[in-house]
Amino acid sequence: MSDFKNLDPLLHSQLRLAIMSLLLGLQSAEFVFIKEKTGATAGNLSVQIDKLSKADYIKVEKAFKGKKPVTTCSITTTGVEAFENYVNALKNYIG
Amino acid sequence: MSDFKNLDPLLHSQLRLAIMSLLLGLQSAEFVFIKEKTGATAGNLSVQIDKLSKADYIKVEKAFKGKKPVTTCSITTTGVEAFENYVNALKNYIG
DNA sequence: TTAACTAGGTTTATAATATAAACTACTTTA
DNA sequence: TAAAGTAGTTTATATTATAAACCTAGTTAA
């Protein structure tokens, strides 16, 4: 792409972008909460969280709240930077 | 998606978004020109132009310039509206 | 006390998408 | 007239997104 910067394919995905957007505002959120806010299915969410986590865009912590498992996600500085770069690249496209 | 509006999948594609962005600024452009500006391969561009055309987001006209075939594209009002809606929806995500 | 149900996920199979390689048809150049 | 170039299209493949199916633990109802 000569005139248009590449859009980070990890962020150029509706659900992953929603997850990142949410985490950027909250700094930390639980799986179930993200699921409700994004309207995603658990399976899809699980897969996308995994991808973001493997890229070190988010940090994932698994613990127990009482007897129930809880997965907590938070954005990393790498993730914040990637998000900012993505938004800047997008401006090439949407003016 | 409850908190996040759906992003028109036809526009949420790097190349198609680049094509639309280009046409929005120019009102009309030839295949070869779009190819250069976007850095896309001819095959990929042909497919994506076809999709945008079938959705009536762009209009495609085929003619001859001397002995060479020329494909000219321009954005439609439907396309302009779709683009605007896409940008507005995106704002949910990128603030 | 075991069968059915719920919560909180993960894994896997499938559908959709993007992309490039291969091809067509015609033209120009050597 | 053969080789290379132009302007694309078609098709095969790789990637991605998504939901269905599954798993594990705990909980209630019979």
Side-chain angles (χ1 to χ4, degrees):
Chain A
M1 296 252 168
S2 61
D3 263 34
F4 298 93
K5 285 185 206 160
N6 258 331
L7 298 175
D8 182 346
L10 210 58
L11 293 182
H12 198 64
S13 136
Q14 180 164 187
L15 182 48
R16 286 195 301 273
L17 193 64
I19 296 168
M20 293 291 281
S21 173
L22 207 57
L23 290 178
L24 202 75
L26 293 169
Q27 295 305 328
S28 153
E30 295 177 5
F31 187 98
V32 171
F33 177 81
I34 299 174
K35 182 171 174 297
E36 276 164 16
K37 285 292 176 183
T38 59
T41 60
N44 193 7
L45 185 57
S46 178
V47 170
Q48 306 312 330
I49 281 179
D50 214 51
K51 286 185 186 176
L52 290 171
S53 168
K54 273 172 183 152
D56 193 38
Y57 283 8
I58 65 173
K59 191 175 45 134
V60 177
E61 275 165 328
K62 277 152 202 302
F64 277 85
K65 187 190 257 181
K67 291 171 178 177
K68 288 176 189 173
V70 195
T71 299
T72 307
C73 305
S74 55
I75 200 163
T76 64
T77 53
T78 305
V80 173
E81 280 165 23
F83 191 88
E84 281 165 2
N85 288 337
Y86 174 76
V87 172
N88 280 328
L90 248 193
K91 285 179 183 161
N92 285 175
Y93 297 78
I94 64 172
Chain B
M1 296 252 165
S2 59
D3 263 36
F4 298 92
K5 284 184 209 161
N6 259 330
L7 298 174
D8 182 345
L10 211 57
L11 293 181
H12 197 64
S13 139
Q14 181 164 187
L15 181 51
R16 285 194 303 271
L17 193 63
I19 297 168
M20 292 290 284
S21 172
L22 206 58
L23 291 178
L24 202 73
L26 293 168
Q27 295 305 330
S28 151
E30 294 177 5
F31 186 97
V32 172
F33 177 82
I34 300 175
K35 182 172 172 297
E36 275 162 18
K37 287 292 177 183
T38 59
T41 60
N44 193 7
L45 186 56
S46 178
V47 171
Q48 306 313 330
I49 281 180
D50 213 52
K51 286 185 187 177
L52 290 172
S53 167
K54 275 174 182 152
D56 192 39
Y57 283 9
I58 66 174
K59 191 174 46 136
V60 177
E61 275 164 329
K62 280 154 200 302
F64 278 84
K65 188 190 256 180
K67 289 174 178 175
K68 289 179 188 172
V70 195
T71 299
T72 306
C73 305
S74 55
I75 199 163
T76 63
T77 52
T78 305
V80 173
E81 280 165 23
F83 191 87
E84 282 165 1
N85 288 337
Y86 174 77
V87 172
N88 280 328
L90 249 194
K91 285 181 183 161
N92 286 174
Y93 296 78
I94 65 174

